[in-house]
Amino acid sequence: MDPKLTEVSQLFERFKAAFIRRDFETCTKLLSQLKVLLTEFPSLPPLFKESPNAVHELTIARDIFEQAVILSVKTEDQDAFERDFFQLKPYYTDTCGVIPPSPQEYPILGLNLLRLLVQNRIAEFHTELELLPPSALENPCIKHAVELEQSFMEGAYNRVLSARQTVPHETYVYFMDLLAKTVRDEIAGCSEKAYDYLSLADSKQILMFSSDQELSAYITEEHPEWEIKNGCVFFQKAKESAPSKEIPSLQLINQTLSYARELERIV
């Protein structure tokens, strides 16, 4: 085996061992070294030069970038996710027929769709979706992301929140938690505009919390202006604290009459 390929393979094994130990700091350092070493492989994008080791080089590079994407989820680094995903994407789109398909392809493509949904990048979500073959829509990972987007656009927030229980891959939980927070914040904003107060039971049901403690913690962290008393959540305090703007009615009347007089002169 080529010495450079051997070095990358050995370093990648160390990366995977550290990942199993959940030593993500070591993983990050090893990943940086691996990316530097991969630049010495001529068969990788964008060059795609033919070589005796091309298949092996492309396969291990793809595996490394897939692990990099998963690592970014574990470390909750969305910027790293985007960088690593775009480095990985050519291995899915430009190496068909050169190397065997990866079992991680659709889970990662679905994960990227979920990330775009969480970041409210709906146009990019649909662009990425249109680039997939029709058969991909039947894959559970892609289907999950599509159904979530439909529920979100329809305002069926209960379906969005309950979808966390049926994620098709364990890496999806991080983005599902972010999406759940976005949805709860949206529901909370609507609730305080629609009601003066709600009972604790109704508040838990609307925000889909299973206990009073979860609801109380959410209010403390996200809406300290709300008040819990007598078994209810009061939003009135938040409404009263909002500054109200006085309408200068007399001034508006005078201006309107002035415009009317000027209009008569013009006519």
Side-chain angles (χ1 to χ4, degrees):
M1 186 184 292
D2 181 86
K4 291 180 182 178
L5 198 52
T6 301
E7 184 179 3
V8 169
S9 299
Q10 291 174 346
L11 201 60
F12 190 35
E13 289 302 318
R14 289 175 55 195
F15 173 94
K16 289 188 284 188
F19 189 86
I20 292 172
R21 298 195 307 270
R22 301 184 65 82
D23 184 357
F24 299 141
E25 184 177 351
T26 298
C27 286
T28 302
K29 292 177 181 177
L30 292 173
L31 182 61
S32 298
Q33 297 175 42
L34 284 165
K35 287 181 178 180
V36 172
L37 290 172
L38 288 178
T39 61
E40 300 179 20
F41 289 172
S43 62
L44 304 188
L47 299 177
F48 289 112
K49 287 186 178 180
E50 293 185 7
S51 70
N53 297 316
V55 172
H56 199 164
E57 289 173 357
L58 287 167
T59 302
I60 195 170
R62 182 190 65 191
D63 292 348
I64 288 170
F65 286 120
E66 285 180 339
Q67 286 299 313
V69 169
I70 295 172
L71 175 64
S72 69
V73 175
K74 295 295 185 181
T75 57
E76 301 183 357
D77 188 340
Q78 294 187 47
D79 291 335
F81 182 104
E82 187 160 12
R83 288 194 305 271
D84 293 327
F85 177 78
F86 281 118
Q87 288 178 300
L88 169 65
K89 196 174 179 182
Y91 295 89
Y92 292 155
T93 58
D94 301 334
T95 62
C96 296
V98 180
I99 57 177
S102 168
Q104 293 289 341
E105 180 173 353
Y106 283 130
I108 288 178
L109 290 175
L111 192 60
N112 181 58
L113 290 173
L114 187 55
R115 174 186 67 91
L116 293 174
L117 183 58
V118 167
Q119 296 176 351
N120 202 27
R121 294 160 65 175
I122 305 301
E124 292 175 65
F125 177 97
H126 286 286
T127 299
E128 291 293 326
L129 198 60
E130 289 172 5
L131 293 174
L132 297 176
S135 59
L137 299 178
E138 299 303 316
N139 183 276
C141 294
I142 306 299
K143 195 173 182 179
H144 177 79
V146 171
E147 290 175 350
L148 268 177
E149 191 268 345
Q150 291 173 346
S151 298
F152 194 76
M153 292 299 103
E154 291 170 6
Y157 296 142
N158 60 323
R159 293 208 303 264
V160 176
L161 291 175
S162 61
R164 188 188 184 283
Q165 310 303 321
T166 57
V167 291
H169 198 274
E170 59 94 14
T171 54
Y172 284 41
V173 172
Y174 166 61
F175 285 119
M176 286 302 301
D177 286 343
L178 293 179
L179 189 60
K181 183 182 182 306
T182 300
V183 167
R184 280 200 175 98
D185 290 344
E186 186 71 19
I187 295 172
C190 294
S191 297
E192 67 181 7
K193 288 179 175 62
Y195 306 103
D196 290 336
Y197 65 90
L198 285 172
S199 68
L200 285 174
D202 288 340
S203 299
K204 281 191 298 182
Q205 183 177 4
I206 288 175
L207 295 170
M208 293 194 70
F209 286 117
S210 58
S211 68
D212 291 349
Q213 289 75 16
E214 288 178 343
L215 175 63
S216 179
Y218 174 76
I219 292 173
T220 301
E221 293 174 10
E222 304 295 334
H223 293 280
E225 72 278 10
W226 293 0
E227 187 176 6
I228 300 177
K229 66 178 182 180
N230 301 328
C232 294
V233 177
F234 286 84
F235 310 117
Q236 192 62 39
K237 183 180 174 183
K239 292 181 180 179
E240 291 174 351
S241 64
S244 59
K245 293 183 178 179
E246 293 185 2
I247 299 175
S249 54
L250 187 59
Q251 182 181 350
L252 288 173
I253 292 170
N254 288 331
Q255 286 179 349
T256 303
L257 291 174
S258 176
Y259 295 150
R261 285 193 296 269
E262 292 298 323
L263 186 61
E264 287 178 358
R265 291 176 186 175
I266 293 171
V267 174

